[in-house]
Structure formats: structure tokens, C-alpha cells
Amino acid sequence: MNIAVINSGSSSIKFQLFCMEKEEVLAHILVEKIGEFSSETFFEYGDKKTSIRSVIKNHHDGLEKIIALLSEYEILKDFSSLGAIGHRVVHGGEDFQKATLINESVLKKIEALIPLAPLHNEANLEGILVARKKAPFTPQIAVFDTAFHSHMPKEAFLYALDYKMYEKYKIRRYGFHGTSHSYILKQTAKYLQKNVKELNVITLHLGNGSSACAIEKGISIDTSMGFTPLEGLVMGTRCGDIDPEIILYMQRALGLSVDEVDTILNKKSGLVGICGKNDMRAILASDEENAKLAISIMVRRIKKYIGAYMALLGRVDAIVFTGGIGENASLIREKVMQNLACGIEIDISLNEKNSLFISSKKSSVKIMVIQTNEELEIARECMQFLNI
Ligand code: ADP
């Protein structure tokens, strides 16, 4: 069965077509800069790669372009022959704990969640609406970033705020990157030859957006992102944890508007805020003091989360790195693991090779590097939903 996965962002559509019998990628298409003067489409199938510049006004045109390419290269005639289309939806709120068949009522709920994730859910919804028009009879399934964290205990997801804030306004920790943490958990189980239900793991998804997750017996029991994807680790442009009073100070004492503060927290902070760069490769190559400082602040925050999650979990089977930084930046992994307590020890040479296992033989906990694949996880969730 062929399954398409659509990850629709505000100005991009990431598309992958899988043949699920062998979990093989048949085509990978990325449409970027939608709505700009000149959009770019990157197309990969088999061992062929091309990129095309054209005007793509909106998501509708973006999907049209994708269908045209698939048809031109005789990969797929139209979307109606697909077994299912899986959609990434960032925020599922408290309504969605698993992959869900999209119907009118689900659409309304995803729409109602836009204020909780304005940058993401609106764009996700746009992709769904266009795909439904293109393939009205194909099952379309929403896979939520928040779903994997939906079994966190109340003491993990509740903030110590006036309880009404939760009861009335649903202000709580939701957690994100769930599809990635879930995929990594399953891969870890495969490599350790254990059942996911036996595993206690700390997963570290370190990319432009970063989050840590404490997984106990296969269930996310805590995660660093919160009500929004701003909380937690130091990220490319996001600050992660700060004293909330700083936000009030910026508004009251510095006279900044809500939008200005929002821009500072989400776009001008994190690595870029400290050293002016958010590309980890450029930061690692730089001799500037602030580049080193940015790395130190980021690493220290990750260490603190590992320590906290070890305390929560008691026994930890593996600490797993993933995401663009987690998978590739051996120096970051080395610094994170330096002088970690409890007999956890990295093997420098395995680490430099980005090996699957990078812990030393005598390390009390396995340290691993696993490439994430959120699109494949979404396709697998679709198969599970269809009961195939
Ligand atoms: P996103 O959150 O946008 O999906 P990615 O998971 O692709 O982000 O991660 C992007 C980050 O990974 C960037 O900071 C990039 O510099 C970093 N990265 C990618 N490749 C390498 C590498 N070889 N060495 C160090 N950092 C890398």
C-alpha cells in the first residue's frame, strides 16, 4: 500500500510517498517559499534529484505541483490511488491522544486549537483542506505532535498556576516532537532487542527546535516543551526556560509590545540571541567567544534536563540523541556527556564516528545516536490506524 505524508508549514510543504510493504520512500518533495516571488521545489526519487524554481502562490498550487511531478515521472497518477494520506498536526490539545481519521468535527477541533499553536496548526489545516479537495475519498489521518505526551501524569503536565488557568483555559504542558520521540523509542527498542514497554529512555531531539523526553516503560512521563514549543532547552532561535517575570519586565519597564516580546523570545533568542548564528555547523566552526558561550549555555541546559529525568526515572536504559544536532554534532554530544554522574561514560572514538552506540563498554547506561524519521512514523501510524 502507498501512503503519502504531508507536513504543511506556513510557507512550505514537505511531502513523502512511501510504499509500506518495504517501508520504502518512493518520492520526497519539498516545496519552499510558498507565496514568495519565486518558490523552490526539491524533488527526489530513486537516485534522482532535481530542483525547480516557479511561482507557487499558495498551498493549493503547492499540492498541484506535487501531483504534477508525481504524474510526470509516472510515480503516481493522482492522490485517489493512495491507501491513505497522513498529515502532521502540531497541536492536538487534550482532544487527541492518537492518530485520528479526519472528518468535519476533527477539522473544527484542529481549527479551535489554532490559538495554542498559531504558527503551526493553521498551516497544517491548510494542507489538510487542500488534500481533502484533491482526494475526497481517500482516508486522511491526522497525526499529532502532542499525542505521544498525552499520557503524562497530571503532576507533570500541570503548571503551578491558579488552577482555573487549567480548568477554564487549558493552560498546561502539552509537549511536542512526539512523533520523533515515539519513533526513537521504537528504534531504541529494536536495537536493544527489548519490548518498548520495558524501556526507560531519555530521548534528546536536538535540531533547530529541541526537546528532551523522559520515557518510562514506553510512556512519555515528562518532556521539556510545554504549553508551546518555546519552553525547555536552548534552541536555534528560541530561549527555552526563562524566569516568566522577564516577560513582564520587558513589557512594563522596557515598554516593549506583546509582539516585540514574542519576536525576541521565539526568533531572536537561543543560539542566535547569544552569538548571532543558529546554524550549529557555523557555531562550531567559529572562534568567537560568544559562539563558545552559546554552546556552553545550550549544553548546560541539556545536562540539567538529563539529571532531572534520571531522578524521575530511577533506572535509565539508554540516553538517545537525534535531530540535526543530536545526530551529527559529536562535540555537542561529548560535552553533554562529560562528567555526567552515575557511571555514564561516552566512548570518544565511537562518538566521533556518529556510531549507533557511543557509550563506553563500562558505561552504566547505553548512549545512542539514532536518526529520526517523523514522516515514516506518521505513515506507520496511518497503517496502524487502518489496522493493516
Ligand atoms: P529542524 O528542527 O528545523 O528540523 P534539524 O533537525 O534539521 O532542524 O537540525 C538543524 C540543526 O542541525 C542546525 O543547527 C544544523 O546546523 C545542525 N546540523 C546539521 N548537520 C550538522 C552537522 N554535520 N554538524 C553539526 N550540526 C549540524
Side-chain angles (χ1 to χ4, degrees):
M1 173 182 286
N2 289 352
I3 291 196
V5 173
I6 295 178
N7 180 351
S8 167
S10 52
S11 61
S12 69
I13 302 175
K14 290 180 192 159
F15 175 94
Q16 279 200 49
L17 179 65
F18 292 95
C19 168
M20 291 310 284
E21 279 71 26
K22 289 193 204 150
E23 294 195 336
E24 187 187 354
V25 181
L26 301 178
H28 188 175
I29 303 176
L30 171 61
V31 185
E32 278 189 332
K33 300 185 188 164
I34 294 176
E36 289 186 23
F37 177 67
S38 167
S39 310
E40 265 181 293
T41 304
F42 300 93
F43 176 44
E44 255 183 85
Y45 79 104
D47 53 5
K48 296 195 177 56
K49 272 186 188 179
T50 57
S51 73
I52 306 148
R53 275 183 184 277
S54 58
V55 179
I56 294 176
K57 289 196 300 287
N58 49 35
H59 287 72
H60 178 271
D61 291 0
L63 271 192
E64 284 284 0
K65 181 85 194 168
I66 289 170
I67 295 169
L69 280 171
L70 295 171
S71 163
E72 186 185 333
Y73 287 82
E74 294 178 359
I75 299 166
L76 190 78
K77 247 176 53 209
D78 56 56
F79 279 3
S80 58
S81 61
L82 290 167
I85 301 177
H87 292 272
R88 178 187 182 208
V89 181
V90 166
H91 216 310
E94 287 196 322
D95 295 316
F96 300 106
Q97 305 203 336
K98 54 182 188 321
T100 305
L101 186 69
I102 299 171
N103 56 27
E104 292 305 320
S105 117
V106 170
L107 283 176
K108 282 207 181 90
K109 285 182 181 163
I110 295 173
E111 192 176 3
L113 289 163
I114 288 175
L116 297 191
L119 293 180
H120 295 104
N121 268 38
E122 196 164 13
N124 302 155
L125 191 62
E126 178 76 24
I128 295 173
L129 294 175
V130 175
R132 267 167 60 97
K133 274 198 193 129
K134 292 276 147 213
F137 304 110
T138 306
Q140 309 229 4
I141 295 160
V143 179
F144 300 91
D145 277 24
T146 44
F148 182 62
H149 305 296
S150 64
H151 302 289
M152 277 189 289
K154 209 165 186 178
E155 72 226 39
F157 75 66
L158 261 195
Y159 292 109
L161 287 168
D162 180 344
Y163 197 71
K164 273 196 228 85
M165 292 295 129
Y166 169 59
E167 276 184 321
K168 260 181 108 171
Y169 305 111
K170 297 290 171 215
I171 295 178
R172 50 160 284 181
R173 175 181 312 284
Y174 290 99
F176 298 88
H177 283 151
T179 315
S180 176
H181 290 296
S182 163
Y183 176 81
I184 294 299
L185 168 69
K186 289 176 197 161
Q187 292 297 97
T188 306
K190 185 177 108 183
Y191 293 126
L192 294 179
Q193 297 182 331
K194 286 197 173 171
N195 189 309
V196 287
K197 293 199 177 111
E198 299 168 13
L199 275 185
N200 286 5
V201 185
I202 299 173
T203 46
L204 301 165
H205 179 115
L206 311 178
N208 258 323
S210 298
S211 68
C213 185
I215 301 173
E216 185 176 46
K217 295 184 180 153
I219 290 174
S220 163
I221 59 147
D222 217 323
T223 188
S224 58
M225 283 179 170
F227 179 59
T228 72
L230 180 58
E231 193 183 346
L233 304 179
V234 173
M235 305 178 221
T237 62
R238 289 173 244 166
C239 57
D241 296 337
I242 57 166
D243 179 346
E245 191 73 26
I246 295 170
I247 295 163
L248 306 180
Y249 181 83
M250 287 199 277
Q251 293 182 24
R252 286 197 195 118
L254 309 183
L256 299 179
S257 70
V258 172
D259 285 346
E260 283 168 332
V261 173
D262 186 1
T263 305
I264 290 173
L265 300 177
N266 277 294
K267 300 199 176 125
K268 293 189 172 176
S269 296
L271 299 172
V272 96
I274 299 159
C275 70
K277 301 177 185 65
N278 65 331
D279 185 329
M280 184 49 79
R281 285 162 290 205
I283 299 174
L284 287 168
S286 168
D287 286 334
E288 288 165 26
E289 265 320 295
N290 274 18
K292 295 193 179 95
L293 184 61
I295 289 177
S296 304
I297 297 172
M298 176 188 173
V299 164
R300 189 182 181 89
R301 185 82 51 87
I302 301 169
K303 268 178 182 281
K304 282 165 87 167
Y305 269 93
I306 294 176
Y309 288 170
M310 281 171 59
L312 282 177
L313 291 170
R315 190 202 85 226
V316 177
D317 297 298
I319 298 173
V320 191
F321 287 88
T322 192
I325 296 173
E327 290 162 24
N328 299 295
S330 57
L331 189 71
I332 299 295
R333 295 193 301 256
E334 187 186 325
K335 284 179 181 289
V336 167
M337 287 298 150
Q338 239 163 31
N339 303 323
L340 218 62
C342 311
I344 302 174
E345 209 181 80
I346 199 165
D347 179 309
I348 303 289
S349 127
L350 291 174
N351 183 46
E352 274 168 10
K353 288 185 213 139
N354 294 336
S355 303
L356 172 61
F357 290 98
I358 57 169
S359 38
S360 74
K361 282 207 179 91
K362 58 178 200 224
S363 176
S364 59
V365 171
K366 296 261 186 290
I367 313 170
M368 301 171 74
V369 179
I370 300 179
Q371 211 177 348
T372 197
N373 192 338
E374 288 160 285
E375 285 76 19
L376 178 57
E377 181 67 10
I378 292 173
R380 284 178 178 168
E381 292 260 356
C382 290
M383 294 294 277
Q384 212 174 334
F385 178 88
L386 298 170
N387 218 348
I388 296 169

